[in-house]
Amino acid sequence: MTRAHLPGILAMATIVVASNILVQYLFGNWLTWGAFTYPFAFLVTDIMNRVYGAGPARTVVLVGFIVGVLCSMIGTQIVGEFGPLVTFRIAMGSGLAFLTAQLLDVGIFAALRRGVWWKAPLVSTLIGSTVDTAIFFSVAFSASLAFIEPGNDVSWAGEALPILGLGPVAPLWVSLAIADWAVKLTLALIALAPFRWITARMGTRA
C-alpha cells in the first residue's frame, strides 16, 4: 500500500460507513437509502483495479471488509425498538457477501482488463452485485438458514407476499433482494461514466 492508494481506501471506507448508517432508513416499501450508496463500492474497486492493478484493489477490499466488521460490531451494541440494530445473521451475511463479491469482482476485472474499456467494469460489477445480493439476503433472512442464529426471529422476512407487490407469492425477503439487485444493476450502468472519466484522468499505472 502506498500513499497513492489512500484516496481509494478512504473512498471505500466512507461508502461502507455511509451504507451501514443509511441502511437504517427506509426508501419506499422495498429499499433502504443504503441501497443507493453501497453499489459504489464496486466502482471504487474497479477504478483501483484499472489504475493500480488487482493487488491494490484487493487491499482496498480488505480495508472495506474491516470497516464493515467494525460497523457491525458497533451496531450489535445499539438497541433499537425491536432489538439490536445489527444481528449476528445480518453481520455474517453482510461480511460474507462483501468479501466474496468484491474479491470476485477483482478477479473477473483482472481477467477482462485487456478488452474494450467498459467490459471489465460492467461484467465484474454485474456478477459481483448478483452474488452479493444472493449471499446477503439468503444468509440474513432465509428460513432455511435459521440455524445460524436460532434466537433471532426473522419471521417477518418470511411473510408470503406478491413479489414487489405484483408478481407471484414469495417470502418478503425475496422482494427486498430483487429490489436491491435492480438498484445495483442500474447503478452499474450509470457508474460506467464516472469510471471512464476518473480512470482517464488518473491513467493506468499497472
Side-chain angles (χ1 to χ4, degrees):
M1 183 177 70
T2 68
R3 183 176 297 180
H5 303 155
L6 189 58
I9 290 172
L10 292 176
M12 178 65 81
T14 300
I15 290 169
V16 171
V17 171
S19 299
N20 274 272
I21 294 173
L22 293 174
V23 76
Q24 309 298 327
Y25 301 96
L26 295 175
F27 178 87
N29 295 324
W30 317 109
L31 295 165
T32 69
W33 282 101
F36 298 96
T37 55
Y38 175 73
F40 287 101
F42 289 97
L43 174 61
V44 173
T45 302
D46 290 347
I47 290 173
M48 291 297 295
N49 206 336
R50 172 62 75 193
V51 177
Y52 299 108
R58 291 190 185 97
T59 298
V60 169
V61 169
L62 180 59
V63 170
F65 175 73
I66 293 172
V67 172
V69 169
L70 292 176
C71 288
S72 293
M73 291 175 62
I74 294 171
T76 60
Q77 302 305 308
I78 302 175
V79 179
E81 182 180 356
F82 303 104
L85 295 182
V86 178
T87 64
F88 176 72
R89 283 186 69 174
I90 288 177
M92 180 178 176
S94 178
L96 185 61
F98 179 88
L99 195 59
T100 302
Q102 291 288 330
L103 291 179
L104 182 61
D105 178 279
V106 172
I108 293 172
F109 189 106
L112 300 175
R113 66 180 296 123
R114 299 197 183 281
V116 292
W117 73 267
W118 54 266
K119 189 173 183 180
L122 182 60
V123 174
S124 63
T125 299
L126 291 180
I127 295 176
S129 295
T130 301
V131 170
D132 182 277
T133 300
I135 291 177
F136 173 73
F137 283 93
S138 58
V139 171
F141 302 119
S142 174
S144 63
L145 297 177
F147 64 88
I148 294 175
E149 191 178 14
N152 178 23
D153 181 13
V154 292
S155 57
W156 61 269
E159 182 182 0
L161 295 169
I163 294 177
L164 299 178
L166 301 171
V169 173
L172 170 61
W173 69 267
V174 175
S175 290
L176 302 179
I178 291 174
D180 181 82
W181 180 65
V183 171
K184 286 190 176 83
L185 298 192
T186 301
L187 291 180
L189 293 172
I190 294 174
L192 288 176
F195 171 86
R196 181 63 165 170
W197 184 78
I198 293 172
T199 54
R201 288 181 62 87
M202 295 180 68
T204 301
R205 307 172 195 180

